[in-house]
Amino acid sequence: MNIKNKIKSIGIRISLENIVLLSFIAFLLAISLFPINYGFWRDELYYIALSKHLAWGYVDVPPLMPFCIAIMRFLFGESVIAMHLLPAIFGVVILIITREIVKKFGGKLYAQILALLCMVMSGTFIFMTSNIIYDSFDHLFWALCLYSLVLLLTSENKKYWLYFGVFVGLGLMSKFGMCWLIFGVVMAMLFTKERHYFHTQQFWLGAIIALVLVSPYLIWIIQTHFLTFEYFANYAKSTALLTLSSFFLDQIKFMNPLSFPIWALGLYYFLFDQEGKRFRLFGLAYIFISAIIIIQQAKYYTILPLFPVLFAGGAVFIERFTQKSKGADLGVIFYAVLLTIAGIIIMPIIRPCFPVDVTIKYSNYMGLFKSGSKMNTEKYSLGVLPQKYADSFGWQEMTAQVAKIYYDLPEKERKNTVIVTRNYGEASGIYFYSTKYKLPMPISQHLQYYLWGYRNMTDNGTAILVGWSNPEPACKKVIQVGQTYNKYAVPFENQPIFLCWGFKEPVAQIWQKGKAMHM
């Protein structure tokens, strides 16, 4: 019996379509788990910290992601590759779903290749599959919701509303970005024939399932006096102004500029094409979600989890066009090559591929990032690296400095000394390396650390202050004993380190006044 027959005998179907899919999956895994990295970045360190304090909710993060990270830490440890395995697996699932959506739209091999190519050459998709961030969970559950809707529209089997409800509920336990999809789908239903599903039991049962699944987090939000809502209100004020033009230009830029014709044709396919009109729900959902994002001044990437279905629609439309026009397939093949080249060019600015100094030279030379520029979604300036890369540097050096200051104190004084940081990044960086340097867990008034409290901090105790520019108004006695600096880090993290002896106000009062529910 030859190898092919042996594989068939255990139930694995060999086909060109599956070989293509496996090839894209292998490529994705190679990119996501590529051994070059600059270490964990600020948000990843924060999420790892949350995973060490499991709860039904956190100020800025729903509970599902920290729970999953805790499982991965238990199984595989805390190496960068081990921790990045989960988002890589999510990426594989999204690729499989994208291929299945293309098939449900009637696409053949050609359309599948084009849609999958758009996905793996997307800067955003590469970023989501190679980092521990809750957007990775968001993209996964949006994809599962979209596929449930595709199955609903192609079969008219109302049971898929139940699946949709499960994935919505799990998505809300990962990120509230799922609310945008709910809004878009409901509004699109009002303007399409799918409005009749409002009268079905399965639709409302799916909604109840979603509500039940997210209810523990909602209860936690109430119990913590709506700090989560306070955070999101402040977060909206901290982001850069979102205009109609910047919203669409950022989508074009960060999804790979050369993929724009594909997803634009996907919109056309859903809204105007005779065959694609049965999936008009997706085109209208994109319009409604875009509108509410701009009105609410959310971030442009909120809508990006919708792109697998847009790429699928555009790929199917192009495949049908090439079948009708002689020679058109050669043009599309040439276009696919250009799309791939563009993806390879932008990849080093999305995912570490070179040593850091080479990355700086490359990104400036190619015009992918200008040192000293402002973040496109925030209001502060960067240094020599993009924010995600810069946020990977300086944490261990900072912790080493704090450890030296801590152990230079008399042993008796150390017992009443706390490490206080200005923000969650500094706290999480020190917390991650605290075992190595045998330090107590740092405290902070920022985000979830605020709820974890000030622990053994006392009115007359000693505090090592990290990240403050001038703590004199708060301390009875204070001196500068160090300086954090890393040439690759975000400039605002290069701050002095102070020793503070005693506070001018009661610690409980200082803690409450300094509550920081913002980024």
Side-chain angles (χ1 to χ4, degrees):
M1 183 183 293
N2 60 34
I3 294 177
K4 185 173 181 179
N5 288 333
K6 285 181 180 180
I7 294 175
K8 284 185 176 180
S9 69
I10 60 174
I12 300 176
R13 181 188 172 194
I14 294 179
S15 69
L16 187 55
E17 288 184 355
N18 287 338
I19 291 173
V20 167
L21 176 62
L22 289 173
S23 298
F24 276 105
I25 288 173
F27 179 76
L28 173 67
L29 291 175
I31 294 173
S32 300
L33 303 175
F34 194 63
I36 290 181
N37 61 73
Y38 303 150
F40 291 116
W41 63 300
R42 173 192 302 268
D43 287 5
E44 290 181 315
L45 292 168
Y46 178 54
Y47 300 144
I48 290 172
L50 297 184
S51 75
K52 298 177 182 179
H53 300 264
L54 294 180
W56 281 113
Y58 306 92
V59 168
D60 55 328
V61 180
L64 184 59
M65 182 185 65
F67 175 73
C68 291
I69 293 175
I71 294 175
M72 298 301 287
R73 285 177 46 245
F74 175 78
L75 293 175
F76 305 109
E78 292 184 350
S79 71
V80 174
I81 291 180
M83 294 273 61
H84 288 172
L85 184 60
L86 190 61
I89 293 171
F90 288 175
V92 169
V93 175
I94 294 171
L95 282 185
I96 294 172
I97 290 172
T98 302
R99 197 276 293 265
E100 292 304 308
I101 291 176
V102 172
K103 293 177 70 173
K104 288 297 180 181
F105 287 171
K108 306 300 182 186
L109 178 64
Y110 191 86
Q112 293 171 34
I113 293 174
L114 192 55
L116 292 172
L117 184 64
C118 286
M119 290 297 295
V120 299
M121 288 300 151
S122 156
T124 296
F125 187 63
I126 293 170
F127 182 79
M128 296 304 162
T129 57
S130 58
N131 291 279
I132 314 168
I133 48 175
Y134 59 6
D135 297 278
S136 301
F137 288 74
D138 198 38
H139 279 240
L140 172 69
F141 289 115
W142 274 56
L144 290 166
C145 286
L146 293 171
Y147 187 48
S148 299
L149 291 174
V150 170
L151 293 174
L152 173 75
L153 296 175
T154 53
S155 70
E156 297 188 3
N157 189 331
K158 294 185 286 293
K159 73 175 183 181
Y160 289 111
W161 281 121
L162 306 183
Y163 296 107
F164 184 80
V166 169
F167 297 135
V168 164
L170 292 174
L172 289 170
M173 289 292 275
S174 307
K175 184 181 178 182
F176 276 148
M178 182 59 69
C179 293
W180 306 112
L181 178 62
I182 297 170
F183 173 81
V185 169
V186 170
M187 291 299 296
M189 287 172 64
L190 292 173
F191 291 87
T192 60
K193 60 183 180 63
E194 279 72 42
R195 69 176 68 91
H196 75 272
Y197 286 117
F198 287 128
H199 301 291
T200 63
Q201 293 180 348
Q202 290 85 347
F203 174 85
W204 294 105
L205 184 57
I208 292 172
I209 290 173
L211 184 60
V212 169
L213 286 173
V214 77
S215 60
Y217 184 38
L218 298 178
I219 292 170
W220 182 90
I221 290 173
I222 295 170
Q223 290 175 336
T224 52
H225 309 290
F226 301 97
L227 284 179
T228 295
F229 293 163
E230 180 181 341
Y231 161 77
F232 281 114
N234 292 332
Y235 183 60
K237 298 174 185 177
S238 69
T239 57
L241 178 65
L242 184 69
T243 64
L244 181 64
S245 60
S246 67
F247 175 67
F248 289 107
L249 287 174
D250 282 341
Q251 290 176 65
I252 294 170
K253 178 181 177 181
F254 290 100
M255 290 304 292
N256 187 329
L258 287 184
S259 72
F260 168 63
I262 310 296
W263 60 266
L265 287 173
L267 274 176
Y268 177 86
Y269 175 74
F270 296 136
L271 295 174
F272 305 110
D273 185 77
Q274 195 60 38
E275 292 185 20
K277 281 184 178 180
R278 59 180 176 148
F279 304 111
R280 182 177 289 175
L281 178 78
F282 297 118
L284 291 177
Y286 176 87
I287 293 173
F288 284 116
I289 295 172
S290 299
I292 194 64
I293 287 173
I294 294 171
I295 292 171
Q296 293 292 324
Q297 286 294 291
K299 292 192 175 182
Y300 76 92
Y301 54 69
T302 306
I303 200 169
L304 299 187
L306 193 66
F307 273 65
V309 75
L310 297 180
F311 285 144
V316 169
F317 180 83
I318 291 173
E319 180 182 62
R320 196 180 70 209
F321 172 77
T322 57
Q323 289 173 348
K324 296 178 181 178
S325 304
K326 289 184 179 181
D329 53 343
L330 293 177
V332 176
I333 291 172
F334 177 70
Y335 171 77
V337 171
L338 293 179
L339 175 65
T340 303
I341 293 173
I344 293 172
I345 289 173
I346 65 175
M347 198 172 296
I349 205 67
I350 302 298
R351 198 256 181 263
C353 300
F354 306 132
V356 61
D357 289 325
V358 177
T359 296
I360 294 170
K361 293 177 182 178
Y362 175 85
S363 59
N364 279 279
Y365 177 78
M366 297 298 294
L368 299 172
F369 172 76
K370 183 179 179 182
S371 296
S373 62
K374 284 193 174 182
M375 283 187 65
N376 65 303
T377 56
E378 308 289 354
K379 294 181 178 179
Y380 59 81
S381 296
L382 299 171
V384 295
L385 283 168
Q387 183 255 342
K388 185 264 177 182
Y389 288 173
D391 273 343
S392 300
F393 290 93
W395 306 120
Q396 187 166 358
E397 297 93 327
M398 176 187 294
T399 308
Q401 275 204 63
V402 170
K404 183 180 184 305
I405 295 167
Y406 182 76
Y407 283 102
D408 281 346
L409 294 171
E411 183 177 355
K412 184 177 180 181
E413 186 176 358
R414 284 203 304 268
K415 294 179 181 179
N416 296 314
T417 298
V418 293
I419 302 167
V420 189
T421 72
R422 186 67 169 171
N423 64 55
Y424 75 91
E426 296 151 357
S428 301
I430 295 172
Y431 189 20
F432 183 80
Y433 292 107
S434 61
T435 302
K436 176 179 179 179
Y437 290 95
K438 298 180 180 180
L439 292 171
M441 177 183 172
I443 63 176
S444 177
Q445 296 158 295
H446 197 199
L447 300 181
Q448 187 62 29
Y449 285 93
Y450 171 79
L451 285 180
W452 290 338
Y454 49 84
R455 298 179 180 267
N456 62 330
M457 184 177 177
T458 60
D459 296 353
N460 295 308
T462 304
I464 301 173
L465 304 180
V466 182
W468 270 265
S469 57
N470 179 25
E472 288 187 9
C475 300
K476 293 178 180 178
K477 179 183 177 183
V478 60
I479 60 171
Q480 182 177 341
V481 289
Q483 172 75 42
T484 64
Y485 178 77
N486 187 291
K487 65 179 181 178
Y488 299 125
V490 178
F492 74 72
E493 284 297 354
N494 294 323
Q495 297 281 354
I497 302 175
F498 294 94
L499 263 178
C500 172
W501 290 275
F503 297 94
K504 295 178 180 178
E505 295 180 89
V507 167
Q509 186 175 330
I510 293 174
W511 198 257
Q512 177 64 31
K513 287 171 62 176
K515 177 181 67 173
M517 294 297 114
H518 55 74
M519 285 301 292

